[in-house]
Amino acid sequence: MAFYSLILITIAASLAALGSWRSGLTWMIVLSALQDPLRKLVPGAPGSLLLLLSVVFLATAVGLLGSRPNLMRDFRAFFPEIDRAIGWLLVPCIPAALISAFYASGSWLYTLFGILSYGSILFSILIGFYYLRSVRDLRRLLTLYCLITAVALSGTFVEYFQIPGFGDL
């Protein structure tokens, strides 16, 4: 049940992020709070389920790319130095990725994970660049994050102080 709940939440969050990329950040906060407790209810508590957050992150990035046809041009106009630095960063990365992808049978999968991992910072910068329209946007997102995280972490205090009536969390 917990496994299917995680999959369902991930699918719903990803579809929402594809339709409205700004909602993807909210969904990532919610999924982050739910994924570890639900994962622990799955037999064997597979750590790979923590990667479900990356699916929502990618859906958010794809939603952003789809909603802003001139995304890179706008970013370059504001930050030409960063654009050049990223270009120089890609020069050594492309041959390394090609070597890694064809190094051994199945190594392409590790190369793909590496690209997603190392590239996530670039998508994060773009998402942040377009997400914040005002300080109010940041305050709202951080308030949501703090509230959800406080609720998620409250179980730690219940367990530590052995508050009766809550059983094993």
Side-chain angles (χ1 to χ4, degrees), residues 37-57:
L38 286 174
R39 175 188 70 85
K40 290 176 181 173
L41 296 174
V42 174
S48 59
L49 288 177
L50 297 175
L51 292 172
L52 290 174
L53 185 64
S54 64
V55 174
V56 180
F57 178 79

Side-chain angles (χ1 to χ4, degrees), residues 153-163 166-169:
L153 293 176
S154 64
T156 303
F157 298 108
V158 170
E159 183 178 355
Y160 180 78
F161 292 112
Q162 298 175 349
I163 297 175
F166 283 94
D168 292 332
L169 292 177

Side-chain angles (χ1 to χ4, degrees), residues 39-120:
R39 175 188 70 85
K40 290 176 181 173
L41 296 174
V42 174
S48 59
L49 288 177
L50 297 175
L51 292 172
L52 290 174
L53 185 64
S54 64
V55 174
V56 180
F57 178 79
L58 285 174
T60 302
V62 169
L64 172 61
L65 292 170
S67 71
R68 302 269 184 179
N70 299 320
L71 177 122
M72 288 309 297
R73 188 193 70 200
D74 295 345
F75 186 79
R76 284 184 195 115
F78 277 96
F79 302 109
E81 302 86 16
I82 293 175
D83 182 56
R84 279 191 295 280
I86 290 172
W88 281 109
L89 172 67
L90 292 178
V91 170
C93 287
I94 291 172
L98 289 172
I99 292 169
S100 172
F102 299 106
Y103 181 73
S105 176
S107 65
W108 65 270
L109 188 57
Y110 293 111
T111 303
L112 181 62
F113 283 139
I115 290 169
L116 292 174
S117 175
Y118 289 113
S120 66

